[in-house]
Amino acid sequence: MFGSGPETGHENSGAVGSALIPVRFVWPYGGRRVFLSGSFTRWSEPMLMSPIEGCPDVFQIICRLTPGFHQYKFFVDEEWRHDEHQPFVTGDYGVVNNVFIAREQDVVPTINHDVPDMEVDDDIMRPEAVMQIPEADLVVSRQRISLFLSTHIAYELLPDSGKVIALDVNLPVKQAFHILHEQGIPVAPLWDFCKGQFVGVLTALDFILIMRELGTNGSNLTEEELETHTISAWKDGKSELNRQIDGNGIPHPRHLAHAGPYDSLKDVALKILQRKVATIPIINPSSQDGSFPQLLHLASLSGILKCICRHFKHSSSSLPVLQHPISSIRLGTWVPQIGESNGRPFAMLRPNASLGSALALLVQAEVSSIPVVDDNDSLMDIYSRSDITALAKDKAYAQIRLDEMSLHQALQLGQDANSPFGFNGQRCQMCLRSDPLHKVMERLANPGVRRLVIVEAGSKRVEGIISLSDVFKFLLGV
């Protein structure tokens, strides 16, 4: 994989002052030490590649090549490797090398090394930007994924061991707030003992709406105000505002979306997408002996995606669309100058923006997270709906005003007080526009990861964002 950009790098053996083309070579498959070698170095001086900050498994190097045909290869942890997702040739003795043609029309002047260069990842030589996905690749990939999901059931999502936390609807909101924070979970099913059934789900969005409502109606958020709101009272009040109207104009409440253990994975995924929720409970219904229904698991798109990745791990070639870079797929939300907009606004905030403005944006734009960027739009952190539970730490919600607390301060609540504010590589899950779809899917399949921020290599300038729901809408064609 490679791209281009004027940047201080390694020159080939061309004469000084000759027209050279800056080319970015990328090895995105991990390793401890990675070198690049090629015909442009006469295969004699392997060049050390550098890991990209925030993406430790991605290595890059900039070389300036003369126009024409070049072969190259990677030396990864004492082993010669080639990139199977880029053009390659096989020699007479079975030696496989990647190939690249530096074209005359892409020539740029040699950069003066006395002048510091800015790192730029422009579009001069980005072949994936104009690549079109063959319709046959898309059709066959979707058919095989749909068949897999239709023939596997939700029971397969259940872990060998674990716990699922449910809350009683009569709990005070404040207590529920603390439980979610202490357990490190953003969502919990709600149990109504009187009805003998699960009646809903309490999410981080509920707390955002509660905080905004109390912040509007009162001068400060107090423990007493939160104490008077039970989960049941809050849900009843919310349902009055969010009742759906059917074709006859008759209001009816929004029922809990759930699935059974023998529902297909495809049905589970479609329910999550249709209801625009992060998870749905897997519930074993009550039996004829009068026993209560059993809460087995909280199904998420991440868990379903993990099943897909595991099943096709050794046969990824059967899903040809997964080999295409994400920049060639109409997937996710992109900053308009970088990719084609899908009509949704792309929201970013500075660290000095108020927490109140961030919460309002999360609700009004119907997004689950907002990248936090510096003045150059380089990624520093990300604020998600689930971060609202950090306000339960040391009862911070009782002392703050939403419009007076900055995002910087809000994010610090969930971190070590001594940690400096800057780029947070642990919280910011990223990818590059040149990454193939299968690599993006593998990262999104990790527990707790719901979206990847697309960044420019090196500068970490935000270019877009891809969520789990984006991937599933693309794979299922919905």
Side-chain angles (χ1 to χ4, degrees):
M1 302 174 67
F2 45 81
S4 72
E7 174 180 311
T8 301
H10 299 262
E11 292 191 11
N12 70 343
S13 57
V16 176
S18 62
L20 301 177
I21 302 172
V23 179
R24 185 189 306 273
F25 291 88
V26 178
W27 174 261
Y29 310 111
R32 294 185 300 274
R33 285 170 63 83
V34 181
F35 294 83
L36 174 73
S37 188
S39 55
F40 41 86
T41 67
R42 298 187 177 89
W43 301 100
S44 60
E45 298 178 2
M47 297 177 291
L48 180 65
M49 303 179 70
S50 303
I52 295 176
E53 183 180 1
C55 298
D57 292 333
V58 181
F59 294 78
Q60 69 170 351
I61 192 172
I62 306 297
C63 297
R64 291 180 171 82
L65 310 183
T66 55
F69 180 84
H70 300 277
Q71 297 190 33
Y72 64 96
K73 203 160 187 173
F74 302 93
F75 193 58
V76 184
D77 297 339
E78 308 299 322
E79 180 183 356
W80 285 105
R81 303 274 298 276
H82 71 281
D83 188 341
E84 296 179 353
H85 300 114
Q86 295 300 324
F88 60 86
V89 294
T90 303
D92 295 336
Y93 300 98
V95 177
V96 180
N97 294 327
N98 287 113
V99 295
F100 171 66
I101 300 176
R103 302 184 184 280
E104 293 284 353
Q105 61 266 31
D106 294 325
V107 172
V108 296
T110 301
I111 297 176
N112 186 342
H113 292 282
D114 294 331
V115 180
D117 299 323
M118 294 182 61
E119 185 169 75
V120 178
D121 190 15
D122 56 29
D123 297 335
I124 295 175
M125 295 160 49
R126 186 157 58 92
E128 64 268 24
V130 296
M131 183 185 301
Q132 297 296 322
I133 301 177
E135 185 67 20
D137 286 3
L138 185 58
V139 171
V140 70
S141 298
R142 283 178 171 171
Q143 286 178 342
R144 287 169 178 166
I145 289 176
S146 179
L147 177 62
F148 167 76
L149 294 177
S150 299
T151 54
H152 289 74
I153 59 176
Y155 192 84
E156 298 176 44
L157 297 174
L158 273 62
D160 294 332
S161 63
K163 65 179 180 180
V164 182
I165 296 175
L167 302 176
D168 190 287
V169 292
N170 293 316
L171 275 177
V173 167
K174 184 184 73 172
Q175 189 174 347
F177 200 3
H178 282 283
I179 291 173
L180 263 63
H181 171 67
E182 292 168 358
Q183 297 296 326
I185 55 176
V187 59
L190 300 175
W191 172 257
D192 189 323
F193 184 79
C194 295
K195 295 181 180 180
Q197 61 184 17
F198 293 96
V199 294
V201 174
L202 189 70
T203 70
L205 180 59
D206 286 306
F207 290 117
I208 291 176
L209 296 175
I210 290 171
M211 298 274 294
R212 294 186 69 210
E213 179 180 331
L214 293 177
T216 300
N217 296 334
S219 59
N220 285 290
L221 297 177
T222 66
E223 293 184 72
E224 289 76 19
E225 285 176 311
L226 289 180
E227 190 73 64
T228 60
H229 287 71
T230 64
I231 298 175
S232 178
W234 161 250
K235 285 294 186 181
D236 289 343
K238 183 182 175 184
S239 65
E240 287 297 317
L241 299 174
N242 297 331
R243 285 185 304 176
Q244 297 176 331
I245 305 297
D246 65 15
N248 299 320
I250 302 174
H252 59 85
R254 182 174 170 129
H255 297 291
L256 171 66
H258 67 280
Y262 299 105
D263 289 353
S264 72
L265 292 181
K266 183 175 182 178
D267 288 340
V268 174
L270 289 174
K271 283 185 179 180
I272 292 176
L273 293 175
Q274 291 164 359
R275 296 298 291 268
K276 297 181 179 180
V277 294
T279 63
I280 61 172
I282 303 298
I283 299 174
N284 198 20
S286 56
S287 58
Q288 296 180 350
D289 61 7
S291 61
F292 288 137
Q294 295 177 305
L295 176 62
L296 303 177
H297 186 58
L298 291 179
S300 66
L301 294 179
S302 176
I304 300 174
L305 189 61
K306 187 174 183 178
C307 290
I308 295 175
C309 293
R310 183 169 58 239
H311 180 78
F312 292 100
K313 182 177 181 180
H314 300 295
S315 58
S316 59
S317 59
S318 65
L319 302 175
V321 75
L322 303 192
Q323 315 307 321
H324 291 276
I326 58 173
S327 59
S328 67
I329 302 172
R330 294 185 177 182
L331 178 68
T333 305
W334 292 71
V335 175
Q337 292 82 356
I338 303 300
E340 183 175 324
S341 173
N342 59 2
R344 289 184 294 172
F346 191 93
M348 294 187 289
L349 288 174
R350 302 286 188 261
N352 60 351
S354 71
L355 177 58
S357 64
L359 298 184
L361 194 55
L362 286 171
V363 174
Q364 295 165 4
E366 296 184 339
V367 294
S368 61
S369 64
I370 302 171
V372 180
V373 298
D374 63 16
D375 292 338
N376 297 316
D377 289 342
S378 294
L379 186 65
M380 298 180 67
D381 211 319
I382 191 164
Y383 192 84
S384 304
R385 288 179 183 176
S386 56
D387 288 321
I388 192 68
T389 59
L391 294 181
K393 184 178 180 182
D394 300 325
K395 300 180 181 179
Y397 54 77
Q399 289 88 36
I400 64 103
R401 292 175 64 93
L402 299 180
D403 291 332
E404 294 179 357
M405 172 173 275
S406 68
L407 273 182
H408 176 183
Q409 295 168 323
L411 288 165
Q412 288 293 93
L413 288 175
Q415 302 174 16
D416 184 349
N418 297 321
S419 61
F421 185 71
F423 175 70
N424 193 321
Q426 293 182 334
R427 286 170 45 85
C428 301
Q429 302 293 328
M430 301 176 294
C431 65
L432 305 176
R433 63 186 175 193
S434 56
D435 284 343
L437 179 55
H438 75 83
K439 184 173 182 178
V440 169
M441 290 170 57
E442 289 167 1
R443 289 183 180 175
L444 285 170
N446 292 324
V449 179
R450 291 191 57 192
R451 85 283 302 167
L452 297 178
V453 182
I454 308 166
V455 299
E456 179 185 66
S459 70
K460 297 190 297 294
R461 182 169 61 86
V462 174
E463 298 184 335
I465 195 164
I466 294 180
S467 68
L468 279 163
S469 59
D470 291 328
V471 171
F472 271 86
K473 287 176 183 178
F474 174 76
L475 295 178
L476 296 177
V478 298

